[in-house]
Amino acid sequence: MCEVRRPAKALKWLTICLIFPVIGFVFYLSTSNPVRIRRERLTSPPNKSDTLPDSFSRSASVIAHALQHMDVRGLQVGQEQVLTNGIKTYEKLIESLQNAKETIDMEYYIFRDDQIGRRITDLLIERSASGVRVRFVRDGWGSRKFPRREIIRMMDAGIECRTIFPLRFPWVTSNWNYRDHCKIVVIDGKEAFTGGINVGYEYTGLKPDVGFWRDTHVRIEGKASVDLQAIFDVHWNIASPERAKMWKRWNTKTEDKISQKIAPSDRAFFSRWSTEIGAELTTFDGTRADTVPNTEALQKAYVQTFEGNPGIPTPVIRQAYFTCLTHATQTIDITTPYFVPEADIIMALKTAVARGVRVRLLVPRHPDQKIVGLASRTYYGELVEAGIHIYQYDKGILHAKVMIIDGEIAEVGAANYDMRSFRLNYEVCEIFYSTDAARELTEQFEQDLTDSVPLRIEDLLKRSRSERIFDQAARLLSPLL
């Protein structure tokens, strides 16, 4: 029934099945079935009367009011800190984890067993040994390489571990295409982190085979962090408990030996890690990073939290993006690594320009997902012709997901502008009503533009016929991206 309401997607699936009759049909069956675990979305009370102060513009008030039936628990007052690179994010996260007194709840799409992942894993074990209740959730696909020896070690230390949609035999099930793309950490129920940064060394921008990495995260304190706690609790309840006891029976002795060699948890290791990584951090200043220095002080903000949930028919985050785009009156600045939007988002951007709104779109020149980059190029022509300014980031990997509206509304989250983020993933995003947050993110946006190349219509026309064919083929595969 969902496909009937969206004929464009249905037509793409028909084309894929005609070209690849067996593989296409199998993929359709395995990706188009509704997720088995269905539930109602998190919503705020319908009779609430939360409003922004009169000091905010009309567009901010209209957007906040229009979104109040979709956010988690209403308009909250809190404090936020923008974190515009991985190193600063890990520094703040580790500091907060070290200061945890009661609870640590951690949920990541990607959690690697590298310099960063091991440091955080050992810190979680240390805090658990100190009496802090630690809950750890990972995605079955994004963190599929996270070794079971580390899960065993964490559970032996008293950490509760679960996986959302784990990859288990027979592997291809009706849920395999639905992923938990969230990055959430909640500490003592009053401090939270979320955004685009997973746990992995590449996010520091120091990994040689990856290069510079531009990303954005946010730290939140106050009532606004309670919304992220509510999302984590729901995801925790649908996740599958780890089967560490079964793993132990398979190869306990070997795993213990490997664990001792690779991931020691003593304080000497903490000190050595801090020294090694700290030496790299001292050379990673604002000039080298090409990022605006983060403000150390927390800034007051009014916050709305949104959860994307593949188990319901309403694409909440897409509607939130659409609402912001259609009610902007002055400026729209968007940073996204993956841009494969649906028709309504394209129309919202084009009509914004028609209203006199300045629209700027920052995308990667060298995307880490090549096929997504090819599909994205098929949208650029009509946007440039409509008057939208498109810039391609050329410094390194662009992974930030940010939107700034009218200089006082800012969105930071994990969701991209594509069907997977809007309809297939568990996602989370925050909308801040704060001139301070919007100013910081705008300053970073302007800095990123200095490392970017403007896209002209002539650049698109220069593409060869083969490039156009590959681009269109990639767009055809957009239901799978």
Side-chain angles (χ1 to χ4, degrees):
M1 182 177 294
C2 182
E3 306 307 328
V4 173
R5 294 197 302 266
R6 300 170 60 208
K9 182 187 174 186
L11 180 60
K12 288 182 178 181
W13 271 118
L14 286 172
T15 305
I16 292 172
C17 289
L18 287 173
I19 299 174
F20 309 102
V22 177
I23 297 176
F25 186 64
V26 171
F27 268 101
Y28 173 75
L29 290 180
S30 62
T31 61
S32 299
N33 289 331
V35 64
R36 289 181 180 177
I37 304 174
R38 298 186 63 85
R39 63 171 179 82
E40 296 298 322
R41 62 183 172 86
L42 291 168
T43 56
S44 51
N47 59 348
K48 72 181 185 358
S49 58
D50 298 334
T51 57
L52 290 173
D54 294 337
S55 57
F56 283 90
S57 67
R58 174 170 172 76
S59 62
S61 299
V62 170
I63 290 173
H65 178 74
L67 295 178
Q68 65 181 357
H69 70 285
M70 292 186 289
D71 58 23
V72 174
R73 290 190 175 179
L75 190 67
Q76 305 278 14
V77 179
Q79 295 79 42
E80 58 78 26
Q81 179 184 9
V82 174
L83 304 168
T84 52
N85 64 65
I87 290 179
K88 178 59 70 173
T89 298
Y90 294 137
E91 284 180 340
K92 286 296 180 182
L93 175 61
I94 289 172
E95 178 184 348
S96 297
L97 292 175
Q98 289 172 330
N99 294 329
K101 299 295 188 296
E102 298 177 358
T103 61
I104 296 173
D105 291 329
M106 182 173 290
E107 174 181 352
Y108 278 102
Y109 174 62
I110 295 175
F111 196 101
R112 300 201 188 281
D113 182 40
D114 57 14
Q115 297 97 313
I116 301 297
R118 292 171 201 163
R119 171 63 170 114
I120 293 178
T121 299
D122 284 295
L123 184 52
L124 293 178
I125 290 173
E126 183 187 71
R127 300 312 299 143
S128 179
S130 299
V132 177
R133 182 192 181 189
V134 181
R135 295 188 293 176
F136 175 80
V137 177
R138 61 183 175 127
D139 178 71
W141 173 260
S143 299
R144 65 191 181 280
K145 294 182 180 180
F146 190 68
R148 62 190 184 209
R149 66 172 180 273
E150 292 301 289
I151 293 295
I152 293 172
R153 203 162 63 89
M154 293 167 74
M155 296 185 72
D156 284 345
I159 297 174
E160 303 171 65
C161 300
R162 295 187 179 186
T163 302
I164 290 187
F165 299 146
L167 296 181
R168 295 172 180 166
F169 184 82
W171 290 67
V172 179
T173 68
S174 60
N175 292 338
W176 79 273
N177 198 35
Y178 299 93
R179 306 270 42 113
D180 177 17
H181 196 241
C182 297
K183 297 89 175 166
I184 298 174
V185 178
V186 185
I187 300 168
D188 292 338
K190 58 185 179 181
E191 181 182 7
F193 293 79
T194 191
I197 298 176
N198 289 288
V199 172
Y201 191 52
E202 67 266 35
Y203 295 89
T204 64
L206 301 172
K207 192 172 183 179
D209 59 337
V210 175
F212 184 76
W213 190 286
R214 248 298 289 130
D215 219 324
T216 299
H217 221 65
V218 66
R219 171 177 167 236
I220 302 171
E221 286 190 3
K223 291 184 178 180
S225 63
V226 176
D227 291 354
L228 288 170
Q229 181 71 71
I231 293 174
F232 176 90
D233 289 339
V234 169
H235 293 179
W236 175 260
N237 289 332
I238 68 174
S240 302
E242 296 287 358
R243 298 188 284 191
K245 291 184 179 179
M246 182 178 297
W247 292 347
K248 283 184 179 181
R249 289 198 298 269
W250 289 342
N251 206 1
T252 302
K253 294 182 179 180
T254 302
E255 296 292 356
D256 286 344
K257 290 179 181 178
I258 296 174
S259 178
Q260 291 172 7
K261 291 180 181 179
I262 293 182
S265 57
D266 54 82
R267 291 185 178 274
F269 172 72
F270 291 160
S271 177
R272 185 167 66 255
W273 186 93
S274 299
T275 301
E276 293 173 355
I277 299 298
E280 293 178 312
L281 301 190
T282 57
T283 65
F284 196 78
D285 57 18
T287 303
R288 177 180 167 185
D290 283 347
T291 56
V292 175
N294 297 134
T295 302
E296 291 296 323
L298 289 162
Q299 310 284 356
K300 180 180 178 180
Y302 294 85
V303 187
Q304 286 177 306
T305 302
F306 302 86
E307 183 222 16
N309 174 9
I312 60 175
T314 303
V316 171
I317 292 182
R318 190 197 70 172
Q319 287 193 210
Y321 285 7
F322 180 82
T323 300
C324 290
L325 296 175
T326 54
H327 289 90
T329 59
Q330 299 176 40
T331 58
I332 299 172
D333 291 332
I334 297 172
T335 301
T336 181
Y338 311 129
F339 187 77
V340 189
E342 296 182 69
D344 55 350
I345 297 295
I346 292 291
M347 186 57 65
L349 290 168
K350 293 165 68 173
T351 54
V353 174
R355 295 196 310 271
V357 178
R358 184 200 67 192
V359 181
R360 298 185 294 182
L361 174 64
L362 179 63
V363 294
R365 191 176 188 184
H366 308 287
D368 59 331
Q369 300 292 334
K370 302 300 182 184
I371 191 170
V372 178
L374 296 178
S376 299
R377 290 198 303 195
T378 64
Y379 295 90
Y380 295 159
E382 62 177 307
L383 294 179
V384 173
E385 287 183 343
I388 295 168
H389 305 281
I390 299 180
Y391 300 87
Q392 295 180 301
Y393 188 76
D394 199 32
K395 174 71 176 179
I397 299 296
L398 179 71
H399 193 253
K401 306 97 165 38
V402 175
M403 177 167 54
I404 312 153
I405 304 291
D406 293 347
E408 61 180 2
I409 308 158
E411 179 273 331
V412 178
N416 302 298
Y417 281 74
D418 58 16
M419 191 187 75
R420 172 162 294 282
S421 289
F422 292 154
R423 298 182 181 274
L424 299 177
N425 288 345
Y426 287 95
E427 299 278 8
V428 63
C429 78
E430 307 287 322
I431 294 184
F432 301 98
Y433 302 89
S434 164
T435 55
D436 291 324
R439 184 189 67 253
E440 281 191 70
L441 290 168
T442 299
E443 289 175 356
Q444 182 59 59
F445 188 90
E446 298 288 351
Q447 176 63 54
D448 292 337
L449 292 187
T450 65
D451 296 315
S452 304
V453 178
L455 180 66
R456 303 170 301 169
I457 195 67
E458 293 83 1
D459 300 324
L460 297 171
L461 295 176
K462 290 179 181 177
R463 289 178 300 162
S464 65
R465 172 173 290 186
S466 61
E467 288 178 315
R468 295 171 188 270
I469 292 174
F470 281 119
D471 291 351
Q472 291 296 333
R475 179 164 176 169
L476 181 64
L477 296 174
S478 60
L480 301 175
L481 301 182

